[in-house]
Amino acid sequence: MAGSYDRALTVFSPDGHLFQVEYALEAVRKGTCAVGVRGQNCVVLGVEKKSVLKLQDPRTVRKIVMLDDHICMAFAGLSADARVLVNKARIECQSHRLTVEDPVTVEYITRHIASIQQKYTQSGGVRPFGISTLIIGFDPNEKIPRLYQTDPSGIYSAWKANAIGRSSKTVLEFLEKNYKEDLPKDEAVKLAVKSLLEVVQTGAKNIEIAVMTSDSVIKNMEIEEVEAIVSEIERQKEEEAEKKKKPSGSSNS
């Protein structure tokens, strides 16, 4: 049935599907995983990095990008599509500053990005953006962390913690079980790393973490810092495994 309706973006199938939009969501699911976690006075973005080729400069492969001084974005899906969307968002941020003489709020720029994504689901001769985004930041003169998600259909929503990309369902289930309100900074970072380790098998070298605090300063964590957190998580897992073994051993004796 899909065959006759999946070529044209603007035509609904009889059962109400827009197949090109669904295929764009499939492209997102094939992208590397990205995680966002909102803490008490910080917000954390974590992404799964693809292994860089030996002769490639790793600085040119970015999955976490700044939209403005106080807003940061991670994405899953087609990197080239993301670059176009990032440029449009950055122009809007600067245009807003010039026009209103105030920085944008996180919801404003999220709504702008979602509107662009939606526009590309309703016009002939174009295709949807093959990316979902996680947008973090702090509104001007506020200390409340914000986390939003958009997808190729143009839907946007606010979250306490969320995951997009490869195996995002598994990561989201892990976050639902382990997320607590008002996490301190260290715990929020640890939760983001833990959730990524659910899908990243190669450890810290393929994980990138960015933390924004209430003064709107973003910090990209060094690989050594991420490795230290991964080591601590693995040590805790080993200790928990030992504790589980002990009762069963004593009962047998």
Side-chain angles (χ1 to χ4, degrees), residues 212-247:
M212 187 178 282
T213 46
S214 55
D215 51 5
S216 294
V217 173
I218 189 110
K219 185 197 175 205
N220 291 302
M221 296 183 75
E222 299 292 332
I223 183 73
E224 293 80 15
E225 294 176 280
V226 180
E227 278 173 351
I229 293 165
V230 170
S231 300
E232 189 185 340
I233 290 165
E234 285 172 352
R235 184 173 52 77
Q236 284 176 350
K237 276 184 182 174
E238 284 170 11
E239 285 174 2
E240 283 170 15
E242 285 295 317
K243 281 178 187 174
K244 283 178 184 174
K245 282 179 188 174
K246 279 178 184 173

Side-chain angles (χ1 to χ4, degrees), residues 42-81:
C42 70
V43 59
V44 182
L45 277 180
V47 295
E48 173 192 359
K49 288 192 300 185
K50 280 186 177 173
S51 296
V52 180
L53 297 171
K54 194 174 180 183
L55 300 177
Q56 193 175 18
D57 186 344
R59 292 172 302 176
T60 59
V61 184
R62 306 295 298 174
K63 299 288 288 186
I64 298 175
V65 293
M66 296 300 292
L67 300 183
D68 205 341
D69 295 336
H70 61 300
I71 296 176
C72 187
M73 183 183 106
F75 62 88
L78 302 176
S79 296
D81 285 16

Side-chain angles (χ1 to χ4, degrees), residues 9 23 35 39 52 72 95 100 125 158 160 174 194 225 235 239:
L9 169 63
Y23 297 159
V35 170
V52 180
C72 187
S95 172
V100 188
K160 294 173 183 175
F174 178 85
K194 256 185 180 176
E225 294 176 280
R235 184 173 52 77
E239 285 174 2

